[in-house]
Structures are given as C-alpha cells and as structure tokens.
Amino acid sequence: MSEQELGITESKEYATGDWYAEVVQKAGLADYAPMGGFIVTKPRGYALWEALQDNLDGWFKDTGVDNAYFPMFIPESFLEREKDIVEGFDPEVAWVTQGGHEELEERLAVRPTSESIIAPFMADWVRSHRDLPLRLNQWCSVVRWEATETKPFFRTKEFLWQEGHTAHASEDGAWDETMLRLDQYERLFEDVLAIPVMRGRKPPHDKFPGAHTTTTVEALMPDGKSVQSATSHYLGTSFAEAFDITYTDEDEDEAVAHTTSWGLSWRALGALIMTHSDEQGLVVPPTVAPTQVAIVPIWQEDTKDEVLEYAEGIAEELEDAGISVDLDDRDERNPGFKFNEHELNGVPVRFEIGPNEVEDEEITVVHRPDGESIVEDREEIAETVEDHFDDVYDKLYEAAEENLEENVREADSAEEILGTIGQHRGYVKAPWCGDEACETAIKEKIAAEIVMCPLDRDVEPESDECAICGDEAHEVAYFAKSY
C-alpha cells in the first residue's frame, strides 16, 4: 500500500457511511463478495471476531452452556410448526429446492435462526426434570435475504453469530437465564469493547417472533444512530408447546418447559469499528486488538545493529508475557510510513525506539486514540505496558460514554420527538400508550423507531399522556434512528 493509499479520505462526521466503508477496507477487515449482500472477512477482521468469541464462549461455559452444532438446512415442515417464526421470517428465508440434479421432495430453508431445528432435538433429549436446565449454544452463520445495501458487519445477507437455546422447568428459571445472558452481553460491550450500552426490552410489536419478551442491549453510534447489539429472549412455553418439549416433574406429572434463546452477531464488530475509529483509520481497545503493540525501530546506518538488538529484546519480553507484538523492522519503509500504517490498522500502542532510547534505556510509548506520547523506563516494560493498555481502554470508553450521556433527551409531543431526532439524533425518551400506530406516525416522517422500553415494566412515564396520540401513557419509549 502506498503512502497515498494509507489515508482515509472520507469524513466520519459528514459522510459516516462512506468513511466506515473506507476504514473497513483500508484497515484490511473485509472485502465485498461478488454476490450483493455478502462480504469476505479478512484475517484482521476475523481476529476481532475471534477475540469477541473467546470472551463470550468462556463466560457461557462457566455458566453451564455446552456448544453443539445443528444443520444449516431446516425442512419447511419444521419451520411451519411455530407459526410466528414462519410469519416473522418468511420474507427473509433463502430456500434450497434442488440437490445436484434432483428436485427435493421438501424445500429446505437456509437457517435464518435455528429454533425450529434445535427445539425438536431438545424435545428428544429432555425426559425428566433431572434433564433440566438444558443449555446449548452454537457458533455459526445464518442467512436472511433482506439486505439490499451491503454494509459490512451491519447489514449483510449472511452473518456470523452465536445463538443460545435453553429449556427450564419454571418461568423464573427461564427468566433468570434470559437476564444472565443479557448481563453477559452488557459485560462484553462495557468491559471488552469499551462501549457503554443501554439495557431494555423491545416493544411488543418488535419482539422476536413467538417470544414472550425480547430484551436488548443498545449502543449509540457517533452519528446518533442506535445499534441493536445483542438480544436475549424469554420464549415462554410457545416453542415448547409447538415442539413438544415436555418433562416429567418431581410428582411424576408431565409439564411443559419454558425456553429461552439469545444471540449476538458480528454487528457487534460494526459497532466497535464505528464507535472508536477515526479519520486515521481503525481504532480498537487492546482487549481485542489482533496486534497490541507495534515496535518501530528508528536508525541510521551506524546505529542500526544496536537499535534492532534493543528492540528485539523488548519484543521478546512482551511476547513472553503473552502480549501480541509486531516488530516492524522493514528496511524499505521509513518510520513515518510505519506510524501511519499501524495507526490505520488500529494497533493501540506504539513503541518508538531510536539511538536515544537505547542510550537512556528508555522507550517512547504512543497511544493510538489521541497520539499521547510518554517516555518509560525499559525495565519491567511488560508490566508497564499493561498500564498503558488500561489508559487507552479508559480513553475510548470515556469518549463513548460522553457521547451517550449527551444524547439522551426527553420529549412530550410528536413535534418534539421529530425535531429533537432531526436536529440531534440520539435517543429521545417519551411517554407512550403502547400502540404501534404511534411509532408508525414517527417512523413515516423521520425513519426513527422505538428501539427499547425500560426493562422494569413499573417505570412510570413522566406524563400521563402519550406524546404522539394523547391517549393514556402506559410506559416509556426510547425513539432513535437505527442500523
């Protein structure tokens, strides 16, 4: 890549979509596939997904979840057993009708979600209350034929995700499960991705098809749009009834299980990239960065050997401490080019090492988010750099937190909702009667929707009247434009 090709040419503030696409491509995260709606995830992009996956997968296993894998094809008759799933996903389903030269006897859906293929097996595997709770998760891709405009990680026809599916003896057990997974998603965003989120539940008309309650974590992007970052669903007994997930309870009576499902997709990567990156390229926290430290030695011909030897010793020490390092000793590139390239690629911490650092037994440490430069002693650098990782993380989190705190506003009328979103974007909190028609009235004018309501159903709206229609308000709604 040439010096000119390294630069990001689009503005994050004024051309967010074009800027985002340029960062994704120039930072080597993804490329566009020849079929519309699909992307190729490149090694650096996939490494981000693996970092996210490693964290979540560990937490799932620590809380009783077993990984499994189910077929990507679902017989049409299986889908039809839960009518809400059929109605909810039918426009988005890709169908296989032919295998080789043979016409299939029954159409096979390419999974848009897997409840319909997993639930029948859960029914086979659950016999007694002793088999509960049953907790399964799979890491896979799903296909939803809805994306008209490809936006890597945000909107693609095929996307990577995890989907958890559990069965419980009681409503309380299933609800606790739903909340546990929501807690883990919130933890991922707050403690790993450096993104503060808002927790809530989807309005009834926007919950998962067939679910009793859909809970969500929402992240606010710098352009004021919300990202539904992960969802956890309490499914009640509807899926268990449709797929006969029953068990014999302690009194030897047959009972219907309560089930949950919960999922997070690579949309979380889209939120990560868009939240922190800037007009120099990708910015990610050290917790997920494929390369945590780039070491750039700076030498003249007469100092090259001693500078490289000093830099190699530091790289070895960091690697021994489990830190991912790139010692950039390329001869054909000057230090300025290397600085720009590592910034573009989102390396959170850079070490600059020249003859002065060697002589003084020091290291110049530079933070990616703001370019802050600090001189540190060479001794115990593997411990010292961990403090810098924490500092970089805090800088990223605080900037995202400030964006969120400044962009939650209140409104008491449709005009206020429209005006506030039109001028400021962000979230607008308003009293709501619960009727979908009131959301539609806003959506038709400004393409904003109710992204969530408070998890606590007892939260009282500040006004007795719905901001849109004037009828009695039953709850609080958060309106926003969304990805």
Side-chain angles (χ1 to χ4, degrees), residues 100-411:
H101 299 297
E102 300 292 321
E103 192 83 15
L104 300 182
E105 288 183 15
E106 180 179 11
R107 291 198 301 174
L108 299 176
V110 183
R111 62 177 166 231
T113 182
S114 297
E115 281 77 4
S116 300
I117 191 71
I118 293 177
F121 289 92
M122 293 176 80
D124 286 345
W125 300 343
V126 171
R127 287 285 176 265
S128 155
H129 64 90
R130 296 181 187 85
D131 299 323
L132 296 173
L134 175 63
R135 299 184 175 98
L136 303 172
N137 176 67
Q138 72 170 351
W139 294 92
C140 61
S141 71
V142 293
V143 172
R144 296 181 186 173
W145 215 266
E146 58 170 343
T148 50
E149 179 191 349
T150 308
K151 192 176 191 70
F153 306 118
F154 278 121
R155 190 165 292 281
T156 51
K157 288 186 170 77
E158 180 188 27
F159 53 89
L160 295 178
W161 78 345
Q162 62 71 215
E163 50 177 320
H165 300 268
T166 70
H168 305 262
S170 68
E171 178 178 347
D172 286 348
W175 182 251
D176 289 346
E177 180 79 18
T178 305
M179 288 296 97
L180 170 62
R181 303 310 160 194
L182 195 71
D183 290 344
Q184 290 176 331
Y185 293 142
E186 180 180 28
R187 178 183 173 191
L188 179 78
F189 279 87
E190 303 245 345
D191 296 352
V192 179
L193 304 183
I195 301 175
V197 292
M198 293 178 60
R199 295 159 56 104
R201 59 185 163 81
K202 288 295 182 183
H205 58 268
D206 195 28
K207 65 187 181 182
F208 180 78
H212 177 282
T213 304
T214 288
T215 66
T216 180
V217 289
E218 300 281 330
L220 185 66
M221 297 298 98
D223 64 353
K225 290 184 181 178
S226 185
V227 174
Q228 177 184 296
S229 302
T231 49
S232 185
H233 317 285
Y234 168 54
L235 301 176
T237 57
S238 62
F239 280 85
E241 287 163 358
F243 292 95
D244 199 27
I245 307 175
T246 58
Y247 65 96
T248 305
D249 66 18
E250 293 180 18
D251 299 323
E252 296 297 314
D253 294 324
E254 186 173 88
V256 178
H258 293 255
T259 65
T260 77
S261 67
W262 25 276
L264 172 140
S265 79
W266 68 14
R267 182 179 288 188
L269 296 186
L272 173 73
I273 298 158
M274 185 170 280
T275 298
H276 301 308
S277 300
D278 58 24
E279 288 170 20
Q280 279 68 55
L282 179 68
V283 180
V284 293
T287 41
V288 296
T291 301
Q292 294 170 297
V293 178
I295 301 177
V296 180
I298 304 163
W299 68 76
Q300 302 295 333
E301 211 45 54
D302 59 331
T303 57
K304 180 177 179 180
D305 290 346
E306 64 186 74
V307 167
L308 278 179
E309 184 181 350
Y310 186 76
E312 285 164 0
I314 291 166
E316 191 174 320
E317 186 175 326
L318 295 184
E319 286 169 351
D320 289 346
I323 294 163
S324 58
V325 188
D326 178 6
L327 172 55
D328 192 346
D329 57 1
R330 290 175 292 174
D331 257 331
E332 72 277 10
R333 294 298 191 187
N334 64 45
F337 180 93
K338 294 176 184 180
F339 296 165
N340 290 337
E341 187 172 57
H342 293 302
E343 286 179 1
L344 173 67
N345 292 337
V347 181
V349 171
R350 181 173 76 241
F351 286 2
E352 298 174 8
I353 296 169
N356 291 340
E357 281 82 4
V358 176
E359 186 177 339
D360 298 336
E361 294 193 3
E362 292 176 337
I363 297 163
T364 299
V365 181
V366 182
H367 293 179
R368 169 65 181 87
D370 57 2
E372 182 182 1
S373 178
I374 305 110
V375 175
E376 295 284 10
D377 288 337
R378 161 72 180 84
E379 196 175 340
E380 297 183 341
I381 189 59
E383 292 178 24
T384 307
V385 77
E386 295 287 353
D387 294 333
H388 287 280
F389 290 163
D390 291 342
D391 290 345
V392 168
Y393 193 95
D394 291 344
K395 287 176 182 180
L396 295 177
Y397 188 90
E398 285 163 14
E401 186 176 44
E402 185 179 335
N403 178 54
L404 176 59
E405 288 175 352
E406 289 178 355
N407 286 288
V408 181
R409 300 176 176 85
E410 296 187 6

Side-chain angles (χ1 to χ4, degrees), residues 20 65-66 92 97 182 203 256 270 284 340 358 421 471 475:
Y20 174 84
V65 179
D66 291 312
E92 303 171 8
T97 58
L182 195 71
V256 178
V284 293
N340 290 337
V358 176
I421 292 176
D471 288 351
E475 58 183 329

